[in-house]
Amino acid sequence: MVRVPLTDEERSRGERLGLALRAARAGRSMVDVAAEAGISVETLRKIETGRIPTPAFFTVAAIADAVGVPLNVLRTACEPQRPGELPGELSQAS
């Protein structure tokens, strides 16, 4: 099965997800969050940097749970933002 290449918007959305998760992680280490989410530190790093722009739902759910952010807040944070604007409710949660 051939995978269809991602669009620029899909890659951008993945970068916004990564930024939102990194912001939600705040002062916690990647090691702590990855361990709590049951994923590798490298997977968390790739998601946070946008190198995995379309992570599996259950991976995102596990990370969201580990950092204490509801999935609907992450969804809002992944919407396109204006330059300099913090992602959705994360700006208020931090």
Side-chain angles (χ1 to χ4, degrees), residues 18-85:
L19 288 172
L21 290 172
R22 187 174 26 233
R25 184 167 55 84
R28 293 183 60 194
S29 75
M30 290 182 110
V31 173
D32 290 342
V33 172
E36 190 172 333
I39 62 172
S40 72
V41 174
E42 186 60 23
T43 296
L44 180 58
R45 180 178 293 111
K46 286 178 180 178
I47 292 169
E48 284 189 359
T49 60
R51 288 180 38 221
I52 299 177
T54 58
F57 170 78
F58 291 105
T59 301
V60 174
I63 298 168
D65 190 45
V67 297
V69 175
L71 288 173
N72 63 322
V73 172
L74 283 179
R75 186 199 57 78
T76 300
C78 291
E79 293 174 354
Q81 304 292 316
R82 289 177 287 221
E85 184 178 6

